[in-house]
Amino acid sequence: MSKHALDCTAFRAVSKGTLRGFATIIVRDLKMTLHDVALHEKDNGARWAAPPSRPMVDTSAKTVMLDRATGKVAYVPSVSFDDAKTREAFSHDVWEAVLEFDPGAVS
């Protein structure tokens, strides 16, 4: 049985590194909508979902770069989980909700 009661109401495909796209997810029990939940997948088939995050900014309000050569930006989570089991359940349930919303969303 699923730990979370989730629905996907939108999915926007993006293919960059492990990123496969962004979903809008409703957490029914909390009557809460999460926008821009990132879905990731590795070549070995490992999948996970990351809650929304925002770019990290320094004290002068400039975006913090992890790697200036590649332009990779540092991000700060907006939501986090208390333990790995809950985080993994969320990831699993988000992927299920997205694939139910659009079975061809991620190929």
Side-chain angles (χ1 to χ4, degrees):
M1 175 181 258
S2 173
K3 186 170 186 170
H4 306 283
L6 305 180
D7 291 312
C8 176
T9 59
F11 179 76
R12 178 172 47 96
V14 176
S15 184
K16 184 175 182 183
T18 61
L19 181 63
R20 297 295 171 255
F22 294 97
T24 300
I25 300 293
I26 296 174
V27 184
R28 289 191 305 259
D29 294 345
L30 299 176
K31 298 181 181 178
M32 176 176 68
T33 300
L34 298 171
H35 301 275
D36 294 326
V37 175
L39 278 83
H40 293 269
E41 182 176 36
K42 288 187 175 181
D43 290 339
N44 67 5
R47 290 179 164 177
W48 67 97
S53 60
R54 60 181 173 77
M56 183 183 293
V57 294
D58 63 18
T59 55
S60 62
K62 292 188 180 181
T63 302
V64 175
M65 304 298 281
L66 289 177
D67 185 342
R68 292 199 181 281
T70 63
K72 188 166 183 151
V73 176
Y75 285 88
V76 177
S78 298
V79 176
S80 59
F81 298 99
D82 290 345
D83 56 64
K85 185 176 181 179
T86 303
R87 183 182 63 245
E88 290 164 5
F90 174 80
S91 287
H92 176 269
D93 292 350
V94 166
W95 270 94
E96 276 191 354
V98 168
L99 294 174
E100 184 175 312
F101 172 76
D102 181 357
V106 180
S107 50

